[in-house]
Amino acid sequence: MTKNKTVINVCMGTGGMASGGAEVLQAFRAELEAADFPAIVKEHCLAHRVGCRGLCAKDVLVDVLTDGAVTTYQFIKPDMVPRIVTEHILGRTPIAEWQVGEDYKNFHHKQVKIVLSDCGKIDPEDPDDYHAVGGYGTARDVLTEWLPDEVIAEIKASGLRGRGGAGFPTGLKWELGRKARGDIKYIVCNADEGDPGAFMDRAVIEGNPHAVIEGMIIAAYAIGAHHGYVYIRAEYPLAVERLRLAIDRARRRHFLGNNIFGTIFDFDIQVKLGAGAFVCGEETALIASIEGQRGMPRPKPPFPVNKGLWQRPTVINNVETLANVPYIMRRGYRWYASHGTERSKGTKVFALTGKIKNPGLIEVPMGITLREIIEDIGGGIEGGKKLKAVQTGGPSGGCIPANMLDINVDYESLAKVGSIVGSGGMIVLDEDNCMVNMAKYFIQFTQEESCGKCVPCRIGTKRLLEIMQRITKGQGKESDLELLETLSNSIKATSLCGLGQTAPNPVLSTLKYFREEFEAHVREKKCPAKVCKDLITYSVIEDACKGCGACLRACPAGAITGEKKKPHKIDPELCVKCGACFEVCKFKSVGRD
């Protein structure tokens, strides 16, 4: 991969492509061809909208590797390429003003990359690139030198736990799958990533689909399966394309199919597209969807590991879990277990989003503090605002207040404060976010995504949403707060699957840590963060108004009147509370209460 003297890596993940990565790559190819320079321009993808190094805001990111030295450029456009080729590649003088700064270095300093270690370095469409960094060689060694029980023992010793949300020990699940009775067994990769703001699995598949395939090969060998499925949502077109391409090329090299690696072991993978239903991330609903049925969960037991796909023993692991496996088998359980905490081993990939200076995809050791993630890696809160909370675990998680910023990020610590690690969504909220509105957003999401099979989830979340809507409209009652808690706990205790059992978590955690905001909405009919439109009133501060007319022109409802150079007025009956007048006023003469 690196034998070429000069290599240029252009980010071609979703983020990079959205920022023009394909055009940048084409510009490099054209310029180098014109210059007759023996460089190889590589399409490599780290698979998310931030770009190949995880820092979305800097796309398009370009690495220039010359004689072992790496120079990374940010915000590259096609018209900048000729200068890079002329001055850096041909003239050997990097362009200082286009290189990444300290924030880029800080973003990576505390990260520990295992799953993402090869993303951004290899061409995801070229299995030879993955092979050059040891890929598929691990699966070959496992199939030729290890017994299945030894593989399971290694994974158990590593402490790897399912990265899809529940955190169930992976080695134990494999052991149960191996012991399950049945001549036909399945391994399923759950790539149905549905949490709002989460893109970890998509990024891994876009950046290194071969690691997932290799993990599935090893898992299948361990449990005795000869057929696997990857269940991935159709909304991930780039990931689907690269996954299918990787599977096809793996077959051509006899990494999949009959007698793979020259052994007697047969294994192949089929891709199944999901239609984007959040509930299909639940394993029994996922199984129903693969079988061609409506994606709805069923009661457990029996568990899929005993009766899963077509009533056969089925082990389901998510993308990140399987992508960890080749690295564990290659470097050993002690190495993997050296990262993390006593009970939460290894690393975790998070999608860091929201009101943060450096949003993007990160991989950190379990046990790192939330403060280190937010301040050191994320660079703190954008715009100089104050941190209010961090929402982890997606719609099934909870909101952690700013005064708990020193909490360790691992399964046990987050559970103690009413949240979860989940699949890796991490949304940062600042002082301008209304926590009541945030809780309403998540309960609305889960209510819309409820499959409707069980009454507590179908009806319970609807009643929760109605209460939240009432509160944010200024129609809340004092008794609503107690009703929210009672109803939430009932839904958690009686719902059929994990979606319903965790749906009330955002409501309960915000009630626990931000009760004063709920009380302000209910008792004072005010939204402290000034987010809930029905609780906001706009008015003109006459002493400050210059009569410039900017607000009058911006108002879409014709609610503002006034003569030029005289104070204007807002008709509250006509005002639609869009905030356009507040945004355009340069003299701060529009009040918002």
Side-chain angles (χ1 to χ4, degrees):
M1 183 180 66
T2 56
K3 60 184 179 182
N4 301 288
K5 197 168 184 180
T6 299
V7 174
I8 302 167
N9 291 332
V10 179
C11 178
M12 294 286 284
T14 293
M17 292 182 72
S19 298
E23 292 77 11
V24 170
L25 179 62
Q26 182 57 37
F28 267 111
R29 284 176 169 163
E31 196 69 23
L32 291 168
E33 184 176 351
D36 194 27
F37 189 80
I40 291 180
V41 180
K42 305 188 60 168
E43 298 178 0
H44 82 120
C45 64
L46 179 66
H48 62 86
R49 57 190 174 207
V50 178
C52 65
R53 287 292 184 272
L55 194 48
C56 308
K58 308 294 183 184
D59 271 327
V60 174
L61 287 162
V62 172
D63 289 336
V64 177
L65 295 84
T66 305
D67 298 326
V70 181
T71 302
T72 302
Y73 292 107
Q74 60 185 6
F75 304 124
I76 298 304
K77 302 295 181 185
D79 60 1
M80 300 163 75
V81 170
R83 186 180 169 192
I84 295 175
V85 172
T86 302
E87 295 186 20
H88 185 172
I89 299 176
L90 297 178
R92 301 293 178 181
T93 304
I95 303 169
E97 64 266 32
W98 291 351
Q99 293 181 40
V100 295
E102 285 299 315
D103 54 348
Y104 180 86
K105 297 171 183 173
N106 293 336
F107 182 80
H108 291 281
H109 179 65
K110 289 195 173 180
Q111 294 194 50
V112 175
K113 296 191 176 183
I114 297 175
V115 171
L116 300 180
S117 59
D118 293 319
C119 292
K121 295 180 181 176
I122 64 169
D123 183 342
E125 299 183 3
D126 185 356
D128 289 338
D129 248 16
Y130 182 57
H131 193 265
V133 295
Y136 289 117
T138 305
R140 180 200 58 215
D141 293 343
V142 166
L143 266 60
T144 56
E145 299 173 10
W146 293 62
L147 295 173
D149 287 337
E150 293 174 335
V151 177
I152 292 172
E154 188 79 2
I155 296 299
K156 288 179 71 174
S158 74
L160 176 65
R161 295 167 64 173
R163 297 300 194 240
F168 191 82
T170 303
L172 177 58
K173 182 180 281 191
W174 288 13
E175 185 176 57
L176 295 171
R178 178 155 188 84
K179 291 179 177 177
R181 294 182 178 180
D183 54 346
I184 298 176
K185 299 179 181 179
Y186 296 99
I187 175 77
V188 175
C189 173
N190 185 350
D192 191 58
E193 184 175 55
D195 288 1
F199 49 90
M200 302 76 59
D201 293 347
R202 189 198 74 206
V204 171
I205 292 177
E206 289 180 358
N208 189 3
H210 300 285
V212 181
I213 295 171
E214 189 174 18
M216 290 185 72
I217 294 171
I218 296 170
Y221 174 72
I223 66 172
H226 298 289
H227 199 92
Y229 284 88
V230 179
Y231 187 86
I232 182 170
R233 48 183 50 213
E235 294 99 321
Y236 286 177
L238 183 61
V240 171
E241 177 186 337
R242 288 181 174 162
L243 178 63
R244 284 177 164 161
L245 189 63
I247 291 173
D248 180 61
R249 293 183 174 175
R251 286 193 189 115
R252 293 183 187 182
R253 285 166 171 75
H254 304 291
F255 299 154
L256 292 173
N258 296 328
N259 305 117
I260 61 177
F261 302 110
T263 69
I264 61 171
F265 184 66
D266 304 334
F267 178 67
D268 209 342
I269 297 173
Q270 187 173 340
V271 175
K272 172 69 177 178
L273 297 186
F278 182 66
V279 73
C280 285
E282 197 279 337
E283 56 185 11
T284 60
L286 181 154
I287 287 171
S289 182
I290 292 178
E291 291 175 341
Q293 305 174 48
R294 181 177 174 182
M296 301 178 83
R298 62 165 172 76
K300 294 182 285 188
F303 292 96
V305 74
N306 297 117
K307 284 190 176 182
L309 202 55
W310 291 295
Q311 299 298 303
R312 308 286 190 176
T314 302
V315 168
I316 302 175
N317 293 133
N318 96 319
V319 171
E320 186 183 340
T321 308
L322 290 164
N324 266 298
V325 170
Y327 298 99
I328 294 172
M329 296 306 298
R330 192 182 308 163
R331 302 190 64 174
Y333 74 87
R334 289 190 178 88
W335 164 78
Y336 186 79
S338 68
H339 303 292
T341 68
E342 180 65 28
R343 297 180 62 188
S344 297
K345 304 290 189 186
T347 60
K348 179 73 190 81
V349 179
F350 288 98
L352 183 62
T353 59
K355 306 289 186 64
I356 191 83
K357 286 182 181 175
N358 299 324
L361 192 75
I362 64 173
E363 183 173 3
V364 292
M366 286 284 195
I368 190 173
T369 67
L370 200 53
R371 183 183 300 280
E372 290 176 287
I373 293 178
I374 302 302
E375 296 182 356
D376 298 339
I377 297 175
I381 308 304
E382 64 176 357
K385 300 283 185 178
K386 292 181 180 178
L387 173 71
K388 178 178 279 187
V390 181
Q391 208 278 346
T392 65
S396 301
C399 290
I400 303 169
N403 62 8
M404 293 185 177
L405 208 55
D406 291 312
I407 189 174
N408 296 110
V409 178
D410 56 52
Y411 292 107
E412 292 72 30
S413 300
L414 294 191
K416 286 179 182 176
V417 297
S419 191
I420 60 173
V421 172
S423 62
M426 185 174 285
I427 302 173
V428 180
L429 308 169
D430 71 9
E431 57 188 296
D432 290 337
N433 287 106
C434 169
M435 300 309 295
V436 181
N437 188 61
M438 179 60 62
K440 185 185 73 171
Y441 166 79
F442 279 112
I443 201 65
Q444 181 171 357
F445 175 85
T446 49
Q447 202 281 319
E448 291 173 350
E449 292 292 338
S450 172
C451 74
K453 185 171 183 176
C454 74
V455 173
C457 182
R458 183 180 72 241
I459 304 299
T461 56
K462 187 171 180 60
R463 295 288 93 84
L464 272 183
L465 177 60
E466 289 170 351
I467 297 170
M468 295 300 293
Q469 289 173 331
R470 199 161 65 225
I471 292 175
T472 54
K473 288 181 179 178
Q475 301 167 356
K477 300 176 291 187
E478 189 73 26
S479 59
D480 281 342
L481 303 186
E482 183 178 352
L483 182 57
L484 280 175
E485 291 176 319
T486 304
L487 184 54
S488 293
N489 288 322
S490 296
I491 295 170
K492 285 173 66 73
T494 56
S495 290
L496 174 62
C497 79
L499 188 152
Q501 292 162 6
T502 57
N505 283 353
V507 174
L508 289 172
S509 65
T510 48
L511 263 173
K512 180 178 181 180
Y513 298 118
F514 301 95
R515 196 176 186 88
E516 70 282 359
E517 290 199 29
F518 280 83
E519 291 173 348
H521 282 68
V522 171
R523 295 172 183 170
E524 304 170 30
K525 310 302 179 190
K526 287 188 176 181
C527 173
K530 296 180 174 54
V531 171
C532 300
K533 287 175 61 174
D534 290 300
L535 303 182
I536 299 173
T537 301
Y538 290 95
S539 61
V540 174
I541 304 171
E542 293 190 4
D543 292 343
C545 181
K546 306 297 182 184
C548 69
C551 59
L552 187 151
R553 293 189 294 273
C555 179
I560 300 178
T561 57
E563 297 180 14
K564 193 174 182 179
K565 295 186 178 180
K566 291 185 178 180
H568 288 22
K569 291 184 178 179
I570 299 176
D571 185 343
E573 297 297 323
L574 296 178
C575 179
V576 295
K577 303 181 179 182
C578 65
C581 55
F582 183 83
E583 296 296 330
V584 300
C585 182
K586 297 186 292 186
F587 306 104
K588 300 185 183 302
S589 61
V590 176
R592 186 173 62 176
D593 298 310

